[in-house]
Amino acid sequence: MSEHSNLIDMPWRNSLVGKFVSLAVIVAFMIMSASAFFNYQTQKTTTLSNIISQSEMLGSFIVSITPEAILSYDFDALNNYMEEINKGEDVVYAIILTPEGKPLTSYVDRRDNFISEKMQNTKIIQLEKLIEELTHNKNIIQQSFPIFYKNNLLGNFKLGVSKYRMENDLRDKLVHQIIVSLILTVLLGIGIFIVFRYYAMKPIKQLILGAQRISGGILDKKVNIKSNDELGHLGQAFNQMMAKLKSSIEDKDEALTTVKELNLYLEERVVDRTKELKEVNEQLEKLAMNDSLTGLPNRFSIQNRLNNLFIEAKRDSSFFTVVMMDLDRFKDINDTLGHDCGDQLLIEVGLRLKEILRPSDFLGRLGGDEFAILLSETDENNARTVAKKIQSALEPSFYLSEMAFSVSASIGIAAYPQHGNTSSTILKSADVAMYYAKKNKLEYYIYNPGADRNTPDRLSLMSELRQAIHEDQLELFYQPEIDINTSRIIGVEALLRWNHPERGFVPPDDFIPMAEQSGLIRPLTYWVLNSAIRQREVWHDMGINILISINLSMHNLNDAEFAPQLEMLLQNTIVPVEYFEFEVTESSIMDNPDHVVEVMDKLNTLNVSFAVDDFGTGYSSLSLLKKLPVHKLKIDKSFIMDMESDSDDAAIVHSVIDMAHILGLKVIAEGVENGTVLKLLASLGCDLAQGYHISRPLPAKIITPQLSLGSWDASNPHSGSVHNLR
Ligand code: C2E
Ligand code: CA
Ligand code: CA
């Protein structure tokens, strides 16, 4: 406030009125002085010519009357004439000279300063000399008139007139005029100052004070300017502005309270809904815990149990093993004897396993012909025994359709903590070990990182993939994502294809996990990012504005160089960053949630948006989802593909959609394979969909015309279950 009051109490010369008055006074004074000077100059000229003509008249008069006096040597008369001349105020001297130059009579004005000075100096009056000197004086105008009588020169009359008095008078007048001008302009200045102060400065000060009040938050004190000039109008406008400001601030406050109330309400709703969801989830969990065919715990409960085992083992520094088993040639049995027989076999296998296991062991069916056994507080050695027991339990033939079948199994063993620190890694290790056992026809195999990495097939595939990156064998296919309500294509997911010269199309699931383990995922992801960005630029140039979703691997998020590289790529493209979205699977998020939150937050500062891929398979918590900067959940295709026939899956999809919406996330369903599922999803309020029913993943060349149309065309030859373009 003090800064503002300085504005009002500022020094006089800095103020507006000060500047204006100074200028006006200076200008007026200069004009008046100039006119006085001009006046002085003209008066000087006219007075001078007056003096000259008067002395000429005097000269002619003397010349006309003196001849008789000269001829009669009447010096009295001549002296009298001189006396007459004496009356002329400015005449300094007059003299009548004979043709030879002798003075007959003369007159000098002893009052004249110059003469009196001369006379004091010389004491002797030598008139001729004095007059001679006077003729050189610039202040004296000298004139000479010849005196004739009947054409005979009788003598000369000389006359000196002083300009001194005239110039003095005029100079005094000029000084006087300048003083008067000065007084007048000062008075004028004071007058302007008073008028200005009252009519302009007073309202301006009021406006300044009003503005200061506004900045101090006082909005109800109007400025009071009564004049009807521009400042009066400004004052009115100022008051109107203040009133508007006041009402908009009031509106804002009101809106803020409403928003706060709404927020409170929403928070309550979220709490309520979360509670409800938890209850529903618990119910669903119960329902979804067991595999309906064998009655054994399903993949979900296996994961759950595994998570608990991890918690316990980490807490108590204990250990456990995971035994994974699948039946050899189960597919053949299924294909030749039919599904019923296959199902029967699975049930029987389950029963036999149950028989040989202890109550503390946990047996479940992972899916298909895969079983998992979780052995708490069991090391590799004891797991070996269990594996052998399993093999012997399966030895006796199975009777299916009244036929005897011998069945063998491949068993992989992975132990905590050596073979994995998270549920997905330990399951993967057991899976790799099982695969190795099957391939090498072993009774069982305990996971060995060396064996996993160095199988010859794997090695050759990886070196081929390294080549493939450079040799143009990779291609991105694009699968549209549509808005369920409008059928518009809102984006595409970029899916990697490897067109191997001998093996044909190698599906990504077959090489991406290996690329992750071998470190090749880094160049592979850069290839994908580059190609996707280039393709998106082509679409940008064509005016196609859609989202492009790119899959990221957990290894990318763990790579410290990834974020800066991505930033550079995104900065170097004309496509706005909002058109890119990155998918990270729920299970990779769950592998190390704290780290993922950190990396995603960092990338989120680049305005990059994220979607959680394969949602439903990773058991993430609501609280974690709230923490992540994700915009979208992509429900895993396993739920979507089965939701039509499996009411549990439909219920899960339903609750995921509700939960996502409460969290403000969009939901996309992948794996939509038919119209019924699409309708079902629409009725559940799902936002987006992707799947073979809409379109298979397609090369850019084929999908581009479809994208130009903008919306999904149900009659598109690439949708539905037509030829597989994988
Ligand atoms: P994803 O991210 O879950 O991709 C969706 C997969 O589902 C794709 O398989 C797609 O072809 C398939 N799909 C789409 N619609 C349907 C449908 O209606 N029914 C069925 N049964 N499947 C459908 P794809 O292309 O074989 O990709 C497999 C996985 O490979 C992807 O799963 C993703 O995890 C990974 N992947 C693909 N491209 C990349 C990539 O560029 N980088 C990384 N890191 N991973 C990739
Ligand atoms: Ca994906
Ligand atoms: Ca997915």
Side-chain angles (χ1 to χ4, degrees):
M1 194 77 184
S2 70
E3 191 187 318
H4 294 297
S5 39
N6 283 348
L7 268 174
I8 295 183
D9 307 328
M10 63 174 68
W12 183 85
R13 65 181 178 286
N14 279 355
S15 76
L16 201 59
V17 60
K19 287 174 186 167
F20 183 76
V21 167
S22 310
L23 185 73
V25 165
I26 290 169
V27 170
F29 180 68
M30 274 166 42
I31 292 173
M32 283 179 168
S33 307
S35 102
F37 188 73
F38 179 72
N39 215 8
Y40 163 77
Q41 289 291 0
T42 26
Q43 277 202 28
K44 199 167 147 182
T45 338
T46 40
T47 319
L48 200 63
S49 65
N50 276 348
I51 290 174
I52 292 170
S53 62
Q54 269 176 24
S55 60
E56 272 168 359
M57 268 164 63
L58 189 62
S60 329
F61 176 63
I62 295 296
V63 164
S64 67
I65 58 168
T66 44
E68 276 162 39
I70 294 173
L71 287 174
S72 57
Y73 300 101
D74 186 352
F75 288 100
D76 283 345
L78 286 175
N79 286 341
N80 278 343
Y81 296 155
M82 291 297 114
E83 285 302 311
E84 280 308 307
I85 287 166
N86 187 19
K87 285 176 190 153
E89 252 185 295
D90 299 313
V91 178
V92 185
Y93 69 89
I95 188 162
I96 297 174
L97 298 162
T98 62
E100 293 77 34
K102 287 212 172 124
L104 292 175
T105 180
S106 67
Y107 155 75
V108 283
D109 185 353
R110 287 157 211 270
R111 289 163 308 180
D112 187 89
N113 291 350
F114 183 75
I115 292 171
S116 62
E117 202 181 296
K118 279 281 161 199
M119 286 173 75
Q120 262 171 23
N121 284 350
T122 51
K123 302 272 183 222
I124 318 151
I125 312 162
Q126 277 185 306
L127 274 177
E128 299 83 9
K129 258 203 178 150
L130 182 66
I131 286 166
E132 186 61 32
E133 272 183 47
L134 287 174
T135 50
H136 299 299
N137 190 317
K138 277 187 196 137
N139 280 326
I140 291 169
I141 304 162
Q142 172 167 276
Q143 281 170 307
S144 175
F145 306 91
I147 305 169
F148 287 102
Y149 184 75
K150 293 183 179 165
N151 291 337
N152 291 321
L153 182 67
L154 291 185
N156 275 312
F157 174 59
K158 284 190 177 169
L159 183 68
V161 184
S162 163
K163 294 192 278 185
Y164 191 78
R165 188 188 56 87
M166 174 273 288
E167 280 188 342
N168 261 359
D169 281 0
L170 285 178
R171 204 172 303 125
D172 288 352
K173 234 178 180 171
L174 178 67
V175 169
H176 181 251
Q177 262 184 20
I178 287 175
I179 289 170
V180 170
S181 302
L182 197 64
I183 292 168
L184 275 179
T185 49
V186 167
L187 286 176
L188 175 80
I190 292 170
I192 293 177
F193 180 74
I194 291 167
V195 171
F196 209 89
R197 205 180 147 89
Y198 184 77
Y199 286 104
M201 288 321 287
K202 211 168 133 191
I204 288 176
K205 276 185 190 174
Q206 281 215 33
L207 286 169
I208 295 175
L209 285 171
Q212 286 172 352
R213 280 198 298 272
I214 290 179
S215 69
I218 303 167
L219 291 169
D220 41 15
K221 203 159 173 233
K222 290 185 173 180
V223 296
N224 185 14
I225 300 171
K226 290 212 175 77
S227 62
N228 53 2
D229 55 15
E230 288 87 340
L231 284 169
H233 291 307
L234 181 62
Q236 279 167 13
F238 187 91
N239 286 336
Q240 280 166 5
M241 180 191 78
M242 189 163 67
K244 274 239 173 82
L245 193 66
K246 192 178 166 195
S247 84
S248 74
I249 286 177
E250 282 165 2
D251 286 354
K252 197 182 95 195
D253 287 349
E254 212 170 282
L256 264 177
T257 1
T258 323
V259 166
K260 266 189 204 148
E261 280 167 5
L262 270 174
N263 249 337
L264 220 69
Y265 171 73
L266 255 174
E267 268 167 26
E268 280 166 12
R269 286 266 302 156
V270 169
V271 172
D272 288 352
R273 293 290 281 165
T274 317
K275 220 156 105 196
E276 278 170 31
L277 268 175
K278 214 173 140 200
E279 284 163 16
V280 171
N281 273 337
E282 275 165 12
Q283 268 180 343
L284 279 176
E285 251 172 48
K286 259 185 219 152
L287 276 175
M289 290 298 250
N290 291 319
D291 163 41
S292 52
L293 179 67
T294 59
L296 292 174
N298 61 10
R299 189 180 192 101
F300 179 75
S301 8
I302 297 172
Q303 290 261 18
N304 250 352
R305 176 72 192 126
L306 202 50
N307 287 340
N308 290 336
L309 274 178
F310 269 107
I311 295 169
E312 286 164 19
K314 282 176 186 167
R315 188 190 55 208
D316 309 335
S317 307
S318 61
F319 45 90
F320 62 87
T321 45
V322 176
V323 176
M324 203 185 271
M325 180 199 102
D326 84 351
L327 303 177
D328 301 332
R329 295 193 344 274
F330 176 73
K331 202 168 169 289
D332 295 345
I333 296 174
N334 227 356
D335 289 351
T336 44
L337 298 180
H339 286 285
D340 288 348
C341 274
D343 287 354
Q344 193 53 42
L345 177 60
L346 292 174
I347 296 170
E348 301 244 335
V349 168
L351 289 172
R352 284 199 198 176
L353 292 178
K354 203 115 215 163
E355 263 172 37
I356 55 140
L357 291 171
R358 290 186 203 150
S360 59
D361 300 337
F362 186 93
L363 167 69
R365 183 181 166 215
L366 279 167
D369 59 341
E370 281 183 359
F371 294 84
I373 300 129
L374 311 180
L375 306 168
S376 56
E377 294 184 34
T378 306
D379 61 12
E380 287 174 26
N381 262 336
N382 291 334
R384 256 182 243 270
T385 321
V386 175
K388 284 179 193 157
K389 264 164 81 180
I390 294 174
Q391 291 293 16
S392 8
L394 297 178
E395 256 165 34
S397 300
F398 288 85
Y399 289 90
L400 305 167
S401 296
E402 289 158 10
M403 275 191 285
F405 282 92
S406 63
V407 170
S408 65
S410 305
I411 297 175
I413 298 169
Y416 172 82
Q418 311 87 292
H419 302 145
N421 225 351
T422 64
S423 59
S424 63
T425 50
I426 201 157
L427 278 175
K428 214 184 256 169
S429 300
D431 198 31
V432 168
M434 184 179 80
Y435 207 72
Y436 192 86
K438 190 186 281 294
K439 218 170 204 173
N440 296 287
K441 305 209 165 37
L442 302 173
E443 197 182 17
Y444 61 87
Y445 186 71
I446 297 174
Y447 177 76
N448 170 1
D452 169 34
R453 266 198 197 123
N454 297 317
T455 50
D457 193 24
R458 197 190 118 88
L459 270 181
S460 71
L461 202 66
M462 281 305 97
S463 78
E464 283 166 4
L465 179 59
R466 192 168 286 125
Q467 260 181 6
I469 299 175
H470 302 291
E471 288 183 1
D472 225 20
Q473 291 171 19
L474 298 178
E475 188 178 353
L476 285 181
F477 274 33
Y478 300 92
Q479 189 176 30
E481 302 179 345
I482 62 158
D483 181 324
I484 295 183
N485 286 326
T486 62
S487 287
R488 289 196 71 79
I489 300 174
I490 60 103
V492 291
E493 176 176 7
L495 293 160
L496 192 55
R497 297 291 177 264
W498 179 6
N499 193 1
H500 191 282
E502 285 134 35
R503 298 176 202 236
F505 269 117
V506 184
D509 283 335
D510 285 5
F511 65 89
I512 283 179
M514 281 195 234
E516 285 175 342
Q517 284 180 20
S518 66
L520 261 188
I521 191 71
R522 187 195 267 186
L524 198 66
T525 305
Y526 289 140
W527 185 91
V528 170
L529 285 172
N530 264 310
S531 314
I533 291 173
R534 293 295 87 78
Q535 182 56 50
R536 186 59 188 79
E537 282 169 354
V538 171
W539 287 332
H540 178 88
D541 291 342
M542 295 174 70
I544 298 173
N545 286 322
I546 50 157
L547 201 68
I548 188 162
S549 300
I550 298 168
N551 290 289
L552 293 184
S553 145
M554 187 54 206
H555 293 256
N556 298 132
L557 296 187
N558 284 331
D559 179 354
E561 277 176 33
F562 178 71
Q565 290 265 21
L566 180 64
E567 182 171 11
M568 199 191 67
L569 287 175
L570 292 175
Q571 272 168 357
N572 286 328
T573 175
I574 40 163
V575 181
V577 67
E578 302 87 77
Y579 288 117
F580 294 97
E581 181 183 76
F582 296 92
E583 295 187 4
V584 182
T585 63
E586 190 189 24
S587 50
S588 61
I589 292 172
M590 289 317 291
D591 264 358
N592 192 353
D594 295 340
H595 176 68
V596 174
V597 171
E598 196 186 307
V599 178
M600 280 191 175
D601 274 341
K602 200 153 94 200
L603 288 169
N604 200 41
T605 57
L606 312 174
N607 268 339
V608 165
S609 59
F610 286 100
V612 181
D613 202 358
D614 300 349
F615 189 80
T617 60
Y619 314 101
S620 55
S621 67
L622 204 65
S623 61
L624 176 68
L625 279 181
K626 273 203 240 169
K627 260 195 256 169
L628 291 173
V630 294
H631 298 83
K632 217 188 251 180
L633 296 186
K634 190 176 261 195
I635 308 180
D636 188 59
K637 53 181 174 293
S638 60
F639 298 100
I640 306 299
M641 280 168 5
D642 290 347
M643 68 186 286
E644 206 185 346
S645 54
D646 187 334
S647 61
D648 291 350
D649 278 348
I652 290 173
V653 171
H654 193 169
S655 58
V656 168
I657 293 172
D658 280 356
M659 178 196 71
H661 284 168
I662 289 173
L663 292 175
L665 303 174
K666 285 244 181 279
V667 187
I668 176 161
E670 67 176 4
V672 177
E673 293 193 342
N674 60 54
T676 322
V677 170
L678 189 60
K679 278 200 197 106
L680 207 56
L681 287 166
S683 73
L684 297 181
C686 186
D687 308 289
L688 310 163
Q690 169 185 12
Y692 293 170
H693 175 60
I694 296 147
S695 169
R696 290 182 173 262
L698 296 170
K701 230 192 260 166
I702 301 183
I703 204 167
T704 302
Q706 187 72 32
L707 297 179
S708 313
L709 289 176
S711 56
W712 166 55
D713 171 10
S715 64
N716 183 343
H718 304 299
S719 63
S721 45
V722 279
H723 52 273
N724 193 344
L725 274 156
R726 285 183 83 183

